Amino acid sequence: MSNVTEADFGRKNASSTPVVEYRDVRKQYGNFTALDGVSARVNRGEVLCLIGPSGSGKSTLLRTTNALEVIDGGQLYFDGHPLPSSKAEIRKVRQRMGMVFQSFELFPHKTVLENITIGPLTVLGISEAEANARARVLLEKVGLTDKADRYPANLSGGQQQRVAIARALAMEPEVMLFDEPTSALDPETIGEVLNVMKRLADEGMTMVVVTHEMSFARRVADWVVVFDHGKIVEQGPPAQIFDAPREDRTRNFLSHLGWNG
Amino acid sequence: MDFDFSPVTDNWRYLATGLGITLLLSILTVVCSLIAGTLIALGRMYGPTWLQKILTFYIDSQRAIPVLVVLVWIYFALPVLTGVNFPPFWAALLALTLHISAYVAEIVRAGISSVRNGQTQAGLVLGMSPRQVLTKIILPQAIIRMLPSIGSIISITIKDTAIAAVIAVPELMKRAETVSGQTFRPMEVFTTIMVVYFLVLFPTTRLIDRLYDRVSYRGRS
Amino acid sequence: MNLDWSVVWQFSGTLAKGAGITILLTIATMAVAVPGGIVLALMRLSPNRVLNWMALCFVEFFRNIPLILLVYWSFYVLPVLSGLTLPPFTTGLVALALNVSAYNSETFRAGINSIRKGQSEAGLALGMSHIEVMRKIVLPQAARRVLPVLASTWVSLFKDTSLVSVIAVGELAHTALEIRSQTFRILEILTAMAVIYWVLGYPQAKLADWIYRKWGVKE
């Protein structure tokens, strides 16, 4: 699809079709330009972290990926195909992407197990036995086997977010989208969520992560994209972004966060 | 002042069947109003614009007109218009449902809009259709959140069925009137059924509140 | 079907008078039930157990019986209890006021309770007296919660006044039902009655919505 450019040198699976590709993506809210010509690609098996100040457009970009936000200009490719515009086709695409929200958004009227099975049951139409079996495996993966029959209200924030990750994984997605997954968490539960994400990355899951956790980005990301004012300031491997940023704005942003290598 | 409760005790069976009719009319009205009110709310929220306008007008009109007026109009005036006579019980069921479903519609609408947007998105990103999101995610939570309001709808309905006495539905209120008129003991008769109504209504609302306390966490997202 | 709408014009003066009494009854009831509700709410909030319990019983009882029954009860029982023959209007007023006071008391109580304790503590910490704290801090905030509910109670009350027609208070519903039995112009008169209620009630309902939007506290 797209040629390997200098910037992609050394990236994972750089020569094959990217899972997601943004080309000159634009998004406008009235007079406010949320995305001002953003181009980036997410390769298979890669963990891509989007960082930058609040309101810089990184969450908006993430949300265009599965058409929660519809772009006003540019192109968006998923697995080499332009993102469809028909609602039915969008649903098909969404089934192949998992998403984790800042505020968890577990379904409060469903138990933990039901939260994980509801997607496969209603959308994929698999049998209840199979959905349950799949859910049990995922619960084990996120370390919550004993909470299967609890309701979300009885879980801590970190536990809820781990269930939300399992819920998204239950659809067996090709890419996982994380929208500030730890921003609403108490400090002591952030680690357990990041650990689950790290393990997922180690298993080779393609991930796009909007985050303020710089040490996570430094440690886990294969590629880091820095946002400011709806534009990409700089992108590159974490070693470049965190240790030798080429742009002043990257340096400023990192130093505001107290990052000093 | 001397009291004589024998009119009540002598006619207890007559009054008790009246209570039965009160409860039957209440239950049917609540069930019909919940169904009709939900449909009205869905039509008002998701229907085409012309339907939304009509339903909004309908709801606001029912909020403006007394239930007594709806009752007597349905019972006395509608037959003139249509030539079809409803028995009092069915006229009351129709009139009460017309009136109360408008209130239910408002409650359902408030319940649905109170479920925050993130829940819809969480359903959509799983690939659900808008209809699946509504029926599997939004409505179940909205219903739990609506429980206290549904409790007051039940209470209002039971109280409003007493107004059906004016079109001679033989429910508790009407029968109390009859007994008191025949025995000239209105004080004892009305005081007694006032207590009876209280004993029905008070535990009903309490029960719903208790139920809500037990399940409210399932509606909190 | 032969309809004769002229009957509505013929009795328009009588109907207008009935509508006037409906409005008067609504205003008079609120005039009694607002102070009534405040007194009951203060009783409910008082540390005195007896006052508290009396108010609780009053409120729960009158909220949990049908209003039409209360109207009948007042009509038959009040004269016996008080030894006075009360005109129907007064009897209706008493029944409505008992009912609405009970509701208003809950409205006021919820309004006062909704103000966090920190708010009055902040006032006290500034050196205000308890009365000043009540007047300057608690009540203005409570008003924002109370006003929208009072407005919707008002609309309900306006409609509920129709129930006193059963004891021959000459308000709109009773007047219309009387004309109906005199003229047998059932459809015309009952429709006219519904339309008059609608014309009066619709703007009130809309106004209540507006007050709720403007003043209502969203949480």
Side-chain angles (χ1 to χ4, degrees):
Chain A
M1 160 87 15
S2 63
N3 298 322
V4 181
T5 62
E6 191 206 345
D8 294 320
F9 180 74
R11 278 178 81 171
K12 214 181 253 183
N13 296 320
S15 54
S16 55
T17 308
V19 180
V20 181
E21 186 174 4
Y22 310 92
R23 279 197 208 157
D24 197 29
V25 167
R26 291 171 188 280
K27 176 74 192 176
Q28 197 84 22
Y29 297 108
N31 285 327
F32 178 72
T33 306
L35 294 175
D36 190 4
V38 171
S39 298
R41 56 185 285 172
V42 185
N43 294 330
R44 199 161 294 282
E46 198 174 46
V47 176
L48 185 121
C49 281
L50 303 171
I51 65 172
S54 300
S56 58
K58 51 197 192 310
S59 279
T60 308
L61 184 74
L62 188 80
R63 293 161 58 85
T64 61
T65 317
N66 57 2
L68 280 185
E69 304 283 352
V70 179
I71 59 176
D72 298 323
Q75 290 105 38
L76 224 163
Y77 295 87
F78 174 57
D79 201 19
H81 303 285
L83 208 64
S85 51
S86 93
K87 285 182 178 155
E89 292 297 310
I90 290 279
R91 282 175 56 202
K92 294 241 169 65
V93 169
R94 283 178 177 155
Q95 290 166 25
R96 297 165 61 194
M97 302 183 183
M99 187 170 201
V100 175
F101 299 87
Q102 180 179 348
S103 46
F104 329 134
E105 301 299 348
L106 291 183
F107 305 131
H109 58 300
K110 301 269 179 199
T111 63
V112 165
L113 194 78
E114 290 165 345
N115 261 281
I116 302 174
T117 55
I118 187 171
L121 284 177
T122 55
V123 178
L124 302 179
I126 68 174
S127 76
E128 197 161 338
E130 197 188 335
N132 282 343
R134 201 188 270 191
R136 301 264 174 207
V137 172
L138 289 167
L139 274 178
E140 193 165 351
K141 192 171 192 166
V142 299
L144 290 170
T145 331
D146 53 328
K147 307 287 188 205
D149 299 320
R150 299 288 189 89
Y151 282 89
N154 303 322
L155 303 184
S156 74
Q159 291 170 334
Q160 289 192 48
Q161 196 61 302
R162 279 144 71 197
V163 175
I165 293 173
R167 177 177 70 182
L169 290 174
M171 300 293 290
E172 300 186 334
E174 291 162 50
V175 54
M176 285 283 285
L177 311 173
F178 291 86
D179 190 3
E180 303 198 26
T182 58
S183 295
L185 293 177
D186 293 331
E188 65 267 26
T189 64
I190 290 177
E192 61 192 60
V193 172
L194 292 180
N195 282 340
V196 169
M197 291 168 63
K198 168 84 167 66
R199 237 176 297 142
L200 208 53
D202 292 343
E203 289 169 13
M205 174 62 79
T206 311
M207 293 163 59
V208 186
V209 185
V210 173
T211 187
H212 291 293
E213 292 293 324
M214 292 306 136
S215 51
F216 174 83
R218 175 77 179 84
R219 203 159 42 98
V220 181
D222 297 296
W223 199 254
V224 179
V225 176
V226 187
F227 264 82
D228 197 19
H229 291 104
K231 285 185 170 153
I232 293 177
V233 175
E234 180 175 358
Q235 52 181 315
Q240 172 198 323
I241 300 295
F242 291 102
D243 302 336
R246 291 174 188 171
E247 299 291 327
D248 285 344
R249 278 195 286 170
T250 308
R251 208 167 294 129
N252 281 340
F253 168 67
L254 291 172
S255 70
H256 271 300
L257 289 178
W259 179 269
N260 36 30
Chain B
M1 230 184 297
D2 65 316
F3 295 106
D4 178 9
F5 281 91
S6 64
V8 177
T9 46
D10 292 348
N11 294 292
W12 76 270
R13 206 179 282 273
Y14 180 72
L15 291 170
T17 41
L19 176 62
I21 292 169
T22 289
L23 295 178
L24 181 67
L25 181 57
S26 301
I27 292 166
L28 287 176
T29 304
V30 167
V31 171
C32 294
S33 300
L34 285 178
I35 295 168
T38 306
L39 294 177
I40 293 171
L42 293 178
R44 186 184 174 185
M45 296 181 80
Y46 307 110
T49 317
W50 60 267
L51 185 64
Q52 292 186 11
K53 285 199 175 131
I54 291 175
L55 293 175
T56 307
F57 181 76
Y58 174 76
I59 292 167
D60 288 340
S61 296
Q62 285 297 341
R63 288 168 57 210
I65 300 176
V67 64
L68 173 90
V69 171
V70 182
L71 268 167
V72 295
W73 198 91
I74 294 287
Y75 185 63
F76 294 113
L78 191 60
V80 180
L81 205 61
T82 59
V84 185
N85 269 307
F86 288 109
F89 183 89
W90 299 106
L93 177 60
L94 175 62
L96 290 170
T97 301
L98 282 175
H99 191 72
I100 291 168
S101 58
Y103 287 88
V104 172
E106 284 294 87
I107 290 167
V108 171
R109 188 169 71 105
I112 289 176
S113 13
S114 76
V115 178
R116 69 160 182 243
N117 210 10
Q119 290 286 304
T120 304
Q121 293 182 356
L124 289 177
V125 303
L126 288 172
M128 289 185 184
S129 66
R131 183 186 294 264
Q132 286 172 325
V133 170
L134 184 68
T135 56
K136 304 238 173 216
I137 294 170
I138 307 298
L139 277 182
Q141 292 180 54
I143 287 168
I144 291 168
R145 288 166 181 223
M146 278 154 39
L147 270 180
S149 306
I150 292 174
S152 30
I153 286 291
I154 293 172
S155 160
I156 288 169
T157 304
I158 296 173
K159 286 187 266 181
D160 280 357
T161 58
I163 304 172
V166 299
I167 59 167
V169 177
E171 44 68 71
L172 183 56
M173 177 72 220
K174 178 72 206 167
R175 296 209 154 168
E177 251 185 277
T178 311
V179 172
S180 104
Q182 284 167 357
T183 60
F184 302 105
R185 283 287 174 185
M187 180 149 162
E188 290 85 343
V189 174
F190 285 128
T191 306
T192 307
I193 67 155
M194 219 144 108
V195 172
V196 171
Y197 270 110
F198 179 80
L199 291 177
V200 171
L201 283 158
F202 187 69
T204 306
T205 43
R206 280 298 134 113
L207 207 68
I208 302 250
D209 285 349
R210 186 88 52 86
L211 176 68
Y212 177 67
D213 287 341
R214 281 183 49 188
V215 299
S216 63
Y217 66 93
R218 293 194 202 177
R220 228 179 279 137
S221 57
Chain C
M1 194 178 353
N2 83 74
L3 292 178
D4 178 11
W5 292 93
S6 70
V7 68
V8 176
W9 306 120
Q10 195 188 324
F11 285 92
S12 59
T14 325
L15 287 168
K17 191 167 162 248
I21 296 177
T22 289
I23 294 167
L24 188 66
L25 189 56
T26 310
I27 296 170
T29 303
M30 256 316 177
V32 177
V34 166
I38 292 175
V39 170
L40 284 165
L42 293 177
M43 283 168 74
R44 288 278 274 124
L45 294 164
S46 95
N48 183 320
R49 284 246 181 115
V50 179
L51 286 180
N52 197 320
W53 189 80
M54 278 168 52
L56 176 72
C57 289
F58 181 97
V59 170
E60 288 302 337
F61 187 73
F62 287 110
R63 270 160 32 109
N64 284 296
I65 55 167
L67 181 53
I68 193 170
L69 174 57
L70 181 58
V71 171
Y72 273 113
W73 187 84
S74 305
F75 183 73
Y76 288 110
V77 178
L78 272 188
V80 183
L81 288 181
S82 65
L84 301 167
T85 6
L86 297 171
F89 183 90
T90 316
T91 309
L93 176 62
V94 170
L96 289 167
L98 286 171
N99 174 269
V100 180
S101 297
Y103 280 97
N104 281 353
S105 122
E106 287 300 277
T107 307
F108 288 121
R109 194 170 67 98
I112 295 172
N113 275 342
S114 68
I115 310 305
R116 276 176 297 124
K117 202 161 166 256
Q119 289 285 307
S120 43
E121 282 173 352
L124 291 173
L126 288 172
M128 290 184 183
S129 69
H130 278 277
I131 292 178
E132 282 175 324
V133 165
M134 203 63 176
R135 241 192 42 219
K136 297 196 169 151
I137 294 174
V138 176
L139 289 182
Q141 293 188 56
R144 291 199 52 177
R145 302 190 177 246
V146 165
L147 217 63
V149 188
L150 275 187
S152 90
T153 306
W154 175 283
V155 177
S156 304
L157 167 63
F158 168 77
K159 296 188 290 172
D160 283 347
T161 57
S162 64
L163 297 180
V164 301
S165 62
V166 298
I167 58 165
V169 178
E171 41 63 71
L172 182 53
H174 183 257
T175 307
L177 292 171
E178 284 291 292
I179 299 171
R180 175 204 57 155
S181 42
Q182 279 172 34
T183 63
F184 294 103
R185 288 280 153 210
I186 298 167
L187 179 70
E188 295 88 331
I189 289 297
L190 292 185
T191 305
M193 165 173 79
V195 169
I196 297 171
Y197 269 112
W198 184 88
V199 166
L200 295 173
Y202 194 87
Q204 294 182 51
K206 282 295 178 189
L207 186 66
D209 287 350
W210 180 81
I211 292 175
Y212 183 82
R213 274 199 306 275
K214 187 165 161 36
W215 286 80
V217 179
K218 285 156 198 82
E219 280 162 299

